[in-house]
């Protein structure tokens, strides 16, 4: 079943096309990676789907419902959760309370919200930090709190914006393992932005590549890794040509 | 559900012991005050302190927890005060009927205004609230039906009268104001643990993140602004019967809005006790210093002192005196 | 018809002064995205400075312009280094209420020193004179003020576009970090923006005293006019401030003449609303 369907999405900022004619489908239960060099339009695409930007053209359908131009809080209520690169939320609230803000999306009862939030903290293995304040925590933990907050809204589609940026290799590995576990346990559909290929490759079932605002490739991680256009986008024209020449010799 | 809400409002169990003791001391002090201090001026200052607590607790919702610089609390006070005064003077309607009506008028005004003004963010919003306050004040000064610049005076009744809230001793007013403040404190105690409280704090911290968590920021702000209006409306109704005289300069004045905001900022915006601490410092300072200096023909020193305090607070510790206490506590 | 013409001319002349008042606000906002609530009080300080210098030394009011400019400049610089610098680190609410505190402080400082009375200058080159120019009555103070405002405006405009200093200011406005990498002392530029803002509004105050009375709470009135002007012109746009100033002059003077003076300020606020609701970035904003 197709969960998210983007057709012909175009968004430009003052004449610069950040996204042009992008179409993609996401099946229920998939993990999909969205990669591309800096400035490829990944975050713009995310923001259009979630509702921070209104696309100039094109349609976004979620669970067969047209959600084009919905405000972020509405897309969230439809079942799309997202994290931010920098999840700066209140320093006066504890981790648990921050996650509760997410739970309050579904219930107005404080006790239920609290229970759900602590459950989710268990899932992301932060139960011991529940009473800590956000500002006291290292970046890797803050990223996990961000993930927990998004999970607390009980999304069907989880969109992650550079969950691994600013993490060291060990923390990255742990984050990847955590994502896989969540995906398995909850049957969640996950859509990941990364510009580091090494992070998305092992977890994604399918990868979409953007460059210059256009979709240049889509496929299994293995095929993407050897795709000429992708290599060109990442490493530049020269490298790709050199590789081709060597290949022909 | 209702019982739980009540329990949340009445339970201070999650607060540290020091705060609970402080709160009990505060209640006791307010309760026995009229019995130990008999001076008329002191009692008047105390009642003023209670009124400002009420205003401040209300403003704290939108200004402190919500982080929106709404400088128009005075117009909500004025809306309600004028409604109550007009109904009482023109149609002789009992206070207890006028007050709900006054509060409703203030709330509706807040709702309509909030609905439009919260499309604006940051400084635009702040300036717009000032502009609205000034327009209302001008309008009320020039509107003869409601007494124009002369204001409205409530008729003096011969005997003390509960229906029109007219008493010969300030003690009654003291307890009435005290009850209102207690209601406000209990509401705030519920509020800080409620969904609305958390959502508002999330919006203050980062509106984009808050929206991604399913929070309709515009609507939540409008709701909070309406509740602020209710508090101000109750204060305005009380003000009318307490002074039995209102005019656009006393209840519609921008200076009142400024005073409320500065007071809350100094005490600690976005904290439960901040507005009370602010009022505790500023009101006595204002009345005693103002009386002392005014007697010597020196004007404005009191406001200069608040202004200095606000500048220092905003520059070094935007969370006010309560923020300083909290910081010291977290370090330990 | 003659009356309309007279009002129109006088409104345009007044508008030029409004433009100068708004200019300072626009510069400060442009460079660091902070709204100076004390702007009207800066104007008041300029007015009192001119008033005092002119009465104490009994000199021609127009000669007090450099002094008012200097005082405004120092006031701006002092505000930046003693207050605003620290406010910028805090949340939005602290920034707003911080300059708000400055506004209240200056206002009541004036109240404390000068008392609440209205004060006007009675003698001066321009004061109280007017000429007939065809059917149109031209009041000297307004005419002189308009000419000098234009001059001041022109100098700032030229400076912003053609001097190194102006370019450095603009660079700071566009991107503080990048400007810092280019070797611009951004901290100094911000201080300077406050100094310039203070100086221009100080001059405006010294001009205004030629035909308007001064009292401690005059600030809020001109502050709201300046806000409305800057909102109309686009926050941070200098060209916008000029054209919006002229428009504001017309709105206030024409509205005051034809609707009654008690409505003229309501008109300012109405303009402000319409602008922020319909076109929040103003006529020339980015």
């Amino acid at each position: 079943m197709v969960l998210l369907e983007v057709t012909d999405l175009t968004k430009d900022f003052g004449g610069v096309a950040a996204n042009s004619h992008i179409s993609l489908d996401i099946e229920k239960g998939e993990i999909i990676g969205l990669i591309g060099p800096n400035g490829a339009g990944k975050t713009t695409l995310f923001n259009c789907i979630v509702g921070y930007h209104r696309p100039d053209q094109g349609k976004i359908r979620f669970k067969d419902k047209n959600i084009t131009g919905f405000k972020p809080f509405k897309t969230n209520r439809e079942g799309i959760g997202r994290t931010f690169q920098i999840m700066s939320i209140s320093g006066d609230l504890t981790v648990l309370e921050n996650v509760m803000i997410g739970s309050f999306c579904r219930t107005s009862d404080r006790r239920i919200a609290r229970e759900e939030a602590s459950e989710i903290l268990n899932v992301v293995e932060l139960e011991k930090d529940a009473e800590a304040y956000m500002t006291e925590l290292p970046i890797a933990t803050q990223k996990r709190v961000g993930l927990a907050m998004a999970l607390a809204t009980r999304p069907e589609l989880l969109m992650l914006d550079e969950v691994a940026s600013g993490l060291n290799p060990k923390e990255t590995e742990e984050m990847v393992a955590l994502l896989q576990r969540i995906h398995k346990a909850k049957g969640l559909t996950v859509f990941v932005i990364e510009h580091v290929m090494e992070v998305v490759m092992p977890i994604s079932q399918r990868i979409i590549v953007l460059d210059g605002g256009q979709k240049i490739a889509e496929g299994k991680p293995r095929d993407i890794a050897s795709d000429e256009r992708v290599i060109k986008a990442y490493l530049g024209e020269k490298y790709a040509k050199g590789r081709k020449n060597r290949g022909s010799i | 559900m209702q019982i739980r809400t009540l329990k949340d409002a009445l339970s201070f169990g999650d607060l540290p012991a020091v705060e609970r003791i402080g709160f009990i001391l505060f209640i006791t002090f307010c309760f026995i005050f009229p019995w130990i201090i008999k001076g008329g001026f002191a009692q008047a200052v105390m009642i003023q302190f209670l009124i400002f607590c009420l205003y401040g607790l209300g403003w704290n919702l939108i200004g402190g927890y919500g982080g929106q610089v709404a400088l128009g609390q005075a117009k909500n006070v004025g809306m309600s005060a004028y409604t109550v005064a007009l109904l009482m003077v023109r149609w002789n309607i009992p206070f207890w009927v006028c007050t709900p009506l006054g509060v409703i008028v203030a709330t509706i005004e807040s709702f309509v205004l909030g609905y439009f003004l919260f499309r604006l963010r940051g400084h635009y919003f702040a300036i717009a609230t000032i502009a609205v306050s000034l327009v209302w004040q001008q309008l009320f000064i020039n509107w003869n039906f409601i007494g124009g610049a002369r204001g409205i005076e409530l008729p003096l009744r011969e005997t003390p009268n509960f229906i029109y809230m007219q008493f010969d001793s300030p003690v009654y007013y003291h307890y009435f104001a005290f009850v209102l403040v207690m209601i406000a404190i209990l509401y705030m105690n519920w509020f800080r643990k409620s969904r609305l409280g958390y959502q508002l704090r999330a919006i203050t911290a980062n509106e984009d993140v808050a929206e991604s968590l399913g929070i309709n920021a515009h609507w939540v702000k409008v709701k909070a602004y309406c509740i602020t209006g209710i508090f101000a409306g109750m204060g305005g109704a009380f003000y009318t019967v307490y002074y039995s005289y209102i005019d656009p300069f006393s209840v519609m004045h921008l200076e009142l809005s400024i005073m409320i905001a500065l007071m809350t900022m100094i005490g600690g915006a976005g904290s439960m006790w901040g507005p009370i601490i602010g009022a505790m410092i500023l009101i006595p300072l204002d009345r005693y210093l103002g009386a002392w200096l005014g007697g010597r023909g020196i004007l404005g020193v009191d406001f200069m002192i608040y202004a200095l305090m606000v500048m220092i607070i905003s520059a070094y510790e935007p969370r006010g005196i309560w923020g300083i206490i909290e910081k010291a506590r977290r370090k330990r | 018809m003659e009356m309309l013409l007279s009002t129109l001319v006088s409104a345009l002349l007044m508008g030029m002064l409004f433009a100068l008042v708004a200019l300072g606000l626009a510069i400060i906002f442009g460079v660091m995205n902070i709204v100076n609530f004390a702007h009207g009080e800066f104007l008041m300080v300029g007015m009192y400075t001119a008033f005092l210098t002119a009465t104490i030394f009994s000199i021609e009011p127009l000669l007090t312009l450099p002094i008012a400019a200097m005082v405004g400049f120092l006031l701006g610089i002092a505000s930046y280094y003693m207050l605003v610098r620290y406010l910028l680190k805090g949340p939005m609410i602290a920034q707003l209420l911080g300059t708000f505190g400055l506004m209240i402080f200056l206002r009541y400082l004036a109240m404390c020193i000068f008392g609440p009375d209205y004060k006007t200058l009675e003698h001066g080159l321009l004061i109280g004179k007017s000429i007939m120019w065809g059917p149109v009555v031209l009041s000297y103070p307004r005419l002189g003020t308009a000419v000098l405002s234009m001059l001041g405006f022109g100098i700032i405009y030229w400076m912003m576009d053609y001097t190194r200093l102006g370019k450095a200011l603009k660079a700071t406005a566009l991107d503080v970090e990048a400007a810092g990498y280019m070797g611009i002392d951004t901290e100094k530029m911000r201080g300077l923006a406050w100094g310039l803002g203070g100086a221009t509004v100080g001059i405006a105050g010294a001009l205004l005293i030629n035909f308007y009375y001064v009292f401690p709470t005059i600030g809020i009135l001109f502050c709201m006019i300046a806000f409305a002007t800057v909102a109309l012109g686009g926050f941070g746009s200098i060209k916008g401030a000029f054209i919006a100033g002229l428009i504001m002059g017309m709105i206030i003077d024409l509205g005051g003449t034809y609707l009654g003076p008690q409505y003229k300020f309501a008109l300012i606020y109405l303009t402000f609303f319409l602008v922020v609701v319909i076109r929040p970035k103003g006529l020339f904003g980015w």
Side-chain angles (χ1 to χ4, degrees):
Chain A
M1 186 194 128
V2 178
L3 191 67
L4 180 78
E5 187 184 359
V6 175
T7 16
D8 200 29
L9 186 135
T10 298
K11 174 78 197 171
D12 67 22
F13 293 109
V16 183
N19 285 161
S20 65
H21 307 290
I22 293 177
S23 298
L24 56 92
D25 288 342
I26 295 180
E27 293 283 326
K28 198 171 167 60
E30 259 185 320
I31 297 188
I32 298 233
L34 178 67
I35 62 169
N38 278 325
K42 293 168 300 195
T43 303
T44 307
L45 178 61
F46 251 43
N47 283 339
C48 282
I49 295 171
V50 176
Y52 287 99
H53 303 319
R54 204 191 166 87
D56 298 326
Q57 201 189 314
K59 240 186 208 154
I60 302 159
R61 293 177 74 80
F62 181 71
K63 291 195 287 181
D64 279 331
K65 184 170 174 184
N66 186 359
I67 59 159
T68 321
F70 272 32
K71 289 253 157 62
F73 73 90
K74 268 192 158 166
T75 56
N76 178 277
R77 287 174 193 181
E78 292 297 326
I80 302 179
R82 78 163 289 183
T83 64
F84 289 79
Q85 284 185 42
I86 305 150
M87 201 91 173
S88 71
I89 254 289
S90 182
D92 311 323
L93 296 177
T94 62
V95 167
L96 181 68
E97 286 173 321
N98 269 301
V99 179
M100 274 167 74
I101 293 171
S103 310
F104 272 129
C105 171
R106 303 278 167 209
T107 171
S108 65
D109 191 310
R110 190 164 62 94
R111 284 154 197 85
I112 297 175
R114 205 182 175 84
E115 269 165 34
E116 283 187 3
S118 20
E119 230 168 77
I120 286 160
L121 282 180
N122 284 337
V123 174
V124 298
E125 295 163 343
L126 281 180
E127 57 278 49
K128 60 182 188 310
D129 290 317
E131 295 305 319
Y133 290 93
M134 282 297 263
T135 41
E136 301 163 346
L137 297 171
I139 184 98
T141 319
Q142 288 191 17
K143 291 247 168 196
R144 281 179 180 227
V145 179
L147 182 62
M149 285 160 72
L151 282 175
T153 66
R154 295 221 206 130
E156 284 171 61
L157 172 66
L158 184 62
M159 302 183 46
L160 304 171
D161 194 351
E162 312 232 339
V163 268
S165 70
L167 303 187
N168 65 32
K170 186 171 164 281
E171 289 163 342
T172 307
E173 217 171 272
E174 283 168 4
M175 180 59 93
V176 167
L178 174 66
L179 287 178
Q180 277 171 328
R181 212 167 52 241
I182 293 170
H183 172 246
K184 262 195 207 118
K186 303 211 166 193
L188 215 59
T189 315
V190 185
F191 192 12
V192 197
I193 288 191
E194 263 307 331
H195 72 265
V196 188
M197 279 223 214
E198 287 75 7
V199 181
V200 238
M201 286 300 172
I203 54 169
S204 308
Q205 288 149 3
R206 203 149 54 91
I207 287 180
I208 293 165
V209 190
L210 291 189
D211 185 33
Q214 280 170 326
K215 188 164 101 173
I216 57 167
E218 179 178 348
K220 294 221 161 59
R222 225 176 330 121
D223 305 334
I224 291 292
S226 56
D227 189 297
E228 288 297 334
R229 283 167 303 175
V230 178
I231 294 163
K232 218 192 303 183
Y234 264 83
L235 301 166
E237 195 80 25
K238 236 180 182 172
Y239 181 84
K241 260 191 198 146
R243 216 175 102 102
K244 209 180 217 170
N245 291 344
R246 228 181 309 146
S248 67
I249 292 166
Chain B
M1 192 64 212
Q2 275 80 358
I3 293 167
R4 270 193 177 171
T5 308
L6 208 62
K7 227 168 104 189
D8 268 355
L10 290 171
S11 140
F12 290 84
D14 59 326
L15 294 177
V18 196
E19 282 179 44
R20 273 181 283 166
I21 293 169
F23 182 48
I24 291 168
L25 284 178
F26 170 76
I27 295 177
T28 327
F29 176 70
C30 289
F31 196 78
I32 61 173
F33 185 87
W35 305 101
I36 45 173
I37 301 197
K38 294 285 182 199
F41 190 68
Q43 286 190 344
V45 172
M46 184 67 192
I47 291 175
Q48 208 137 42
F49 161 72
L50 291 172
I51 299 180
F52 272 87
C53 277
L54 190 62
Y55 293 159
L57 284 163
W59 189 80
N60 195 23
L61 218 92
I62 194 71
Y65 289 102
Q68 305 293 316
V69 187
L71 291 166
Q73 196 57 339
K75 66 186 165 39
N76 296 328
V77 174
M79 285 291 162
S80 164
Y82 266 98
T83 311
V84 170
L86 274 179
L87 293 175
M88 278 172 85
V89 169
R90 298 216 170 212
W91 294 286
N92 223 6
I93 296 171
F95 173 78
W96 302 102
V97 180
C98 299
T99 299
L101 292 173
V103 171
I104 287 170
V105 170
T107 314
I108 290 174
E109 196 256 4
S110 298
F111 176 78
V112 173
L113 212 68
Y115 193 84
F116 289 104
L117 290 191
F118 280 117
R119 291 171 190 279
L120 313 174
R121 277 196 192 187
H123 50 264
Y124 280 114
F125 175 77
I127 299 166
T129 55
I130 296 178
V132 174
S133 306
L134 292 171
V135 171
W136 274 124
Q137 197 196 351
Q138 289 249 307
L139 202 72
F140 273 55
I141 290 172
N142 291 313
W143 191 2
N144 284 326
F145 178 73
I146 56 163
R150 277 175 294 109
I152 308 178
E153 202 168 344
L154 296 189
L156 212 62
R157 290 170 209 279
E158 277 143 26
T159 50
N161 192 327
F162 180 71
I163 294 172
Y164 293 100
M165 279 303 277
Q166 204 158 67
F167 306 114
D168 47 4
S169 157
V171 175
Y172 298 97
Y173 293 111
H174 173 92
Y175 283 112
F176 185 42
F178 178 51
V179 168
L180 290 180
V181 171
M182 281 311 293
I183 293 172
I185 290 176
L186 293 181
Y187 176 78
M188 289 311 288
N189 190 37
W190 171 80
F191 166 84
R192 76 190 163 88
K193 305 174 206 164
S194 71
R195 166 152 93 159
L196 186 64
Y198 282 110
Q199 290 186 335
L200 211 50
R201 274 175 281 186
I203 291 169
T204 313
N206 188 333
E207 205 166 318
D208 285 339
V209 172
E211 289 247 328
S212 84
L213 298 175
I215 298 169
N216 182 350
H218 180 252
W219 185 240
V220 170
K221 285 189 221 166
V222 172
K223 254 200 270 185
Y225 195 55
C226 287
I227 297 166
T228 300
I230 295 176
F231 279 58
M234 295 202 304
F238 175 78
Y239 186 101
T240 311
V241 285
Y242 175 56
Y243 288 99
S244 18
Y245 170 73
I246 54 166
D247 63 21
F249 307 99
S250 59
V251 290
M252 270 288 175
H253 210 286
L254 183 63
E255 240 150 72
L256 177 62
S257 306
I258 292 172
M259 178 92 175
I260 295 166
L262 296 193
M263 192 186 79
T264 314
M265 271 301 272
I266 289 170
S271 70
M272 174 101 172
W273 310 118
I276 299 174
I277 295 173
M280 216 179 268
I281 294 168
L282 281 199
I283 299 303
L285 185 78
D286 179 48
R287 298 307 137 177
Y288 285 103
L289 195 71
W292 189 76
L293 291 168
R296 279 159 188 72
I298 305 166
L299 294 169
V301 174
D302 40 350
F303 261 103
M304 275 164 68
I305 294 172
Y306 322 145
L308 269 178
M309 282 162 103
V310 160
M311 284 192 273
I312 293 167
I313 290 272
S314 351
Y316 297 103
E317 180 49 69
R319 313 212 63 85
I321 293 172
W322 191 255
I324 297 170
I325 298 174
E326 197 89 305
K327 228 186 216 167
R329 210 200 265 158
R330 258 192 226 178
K331 264 193 195 129
R332 264 194 293 129
Chain C
M1 191 56 213
E2 267 130 56
M3 177 160 155
L4 177 68
L5 209 60
S6 282
T7 318
L8 211 61
V9 171
S10 135
L12 277 178
L13 296 178
M14 193 68 189
M16 289 176 193
L17 182 76
F18 288 155
L20 190 65
V21 176
L23 176 65
L25 199 65
I27 294 174
I28 291 171
F29 185 83
V31 171
M32 69 190 82
N33 249 310
I34 187 170
V35 172
N36 179 16
F37 272 104
H39 197 69
E41 272 57 34
F42 284 19
L43 180 90
M44 181 229 9
V45 169
M47 288 178 87
Y48 272 118
T49 309
F51 175 79
L52 282 184
T53 338
T55 41
I56 292 174
F57 302 105
S58 45
I59 53 167
E60 163 51 38
L62 288 179
L63 293 179
T64 64
L65 281 183
I67 300 163
M70 203 57 219
V71 169
F73 185 78
L74 292 177
L75 183 63
I77 296 268
S79 311
Y80 181 73
Y81 282 102
M82 289 167 68
L83 175 70
V84 179
R85 201 152 53 118
Y86 303 101
L87 295 181
L88 290 171
K89 292 175 198 145
M92 183 107 201
I93 187 161
Q95 293 178 10
L96 285 164
L97 285 176
T99 62
F100 209 72
L102 183 61
M103 157 187 164
I104 307 280
F105 182 76
L106 290 174
R107 172 196 262 215
Y108 287 97
L109 184 66
M111 183 79 92
C112 202
I113 299 172
F114 303 106
D117 310 332
Y118 289 40
K119 293 191 163 73
T120 48
L121 278 178
E122 275 147 23
H123 305 289
L125 194 60
L126 303 175
I127 292 167
K129 295 175 188 144
S130 58
I131 52 164
M132 292 291 287
W133 181 54
V136 181
V137 186
L138 284 176
S139 108
Y140 264 14
R142 284 200 176 201
L143 196 62
T145 300
V147 170
L148 289 168
S149 296
M150 287 288 293
L151 192 68
F153 212 98
I155 291 169
I156 298 283
Y157 198 81
W158 171 80
M159 199 200 81
M160 281 303 216
D161 269 356
Y162 296 101
T163 62
R164 280 178 68 89
L165 185 67
K167 284 177 185 161
L169 273 172
K170 272 192 169 171
T172 314
L174 284 173
D175 189 335
V176 184
E177 259 179 57
Y181 293 140
M182 309 305 274
I184 296 170
D185 184 349
T186 53
E187 186 69 5
K188 208 165 108 192
M189 285 302 132
R190 290 170 152 190
L192 203 64
W194 274 79
L196 268 179
T200 50
V201 79
I203 294 176
L207 289 170
L208 188 63
I209 193 76
N210 282 297
F211 61 96
Y212 210 82
Y213 35 82
V214 58
F215 53 98
T217 50
I218 190 174
I220 185 90
L221 178 64
F222 280 90
C223 192
M224 292 311 294
I225 296 179
F227 280 148
T229 311
V230 173
L232 181 62
F235 269 88
S237 158
I238 292 177
K239 187 170 59 177
F242 182 71
I243 293 170
L246 296 186
I247 297 173
M248 284 316 280
M250 304 250 242
I251 292 174
I252 292 169
D253 263 18
L254 291 181
T257 310
Y258 291 100
L259 286 177
Q262 68 268 40
Y263 296 111
K264 71 182 179 190
F265 300 113
L267 280 175
I268 306 172
Y269 311 134
L270 192 68
T271 318
F272 176 78
F273 278 131
L274 291 180
V275 174
V276 293
V277 172
I278 296 169
R279 195 177 159 81
K281 54 184 197 260
L283 295 174
F284 298 95
W286 7 271

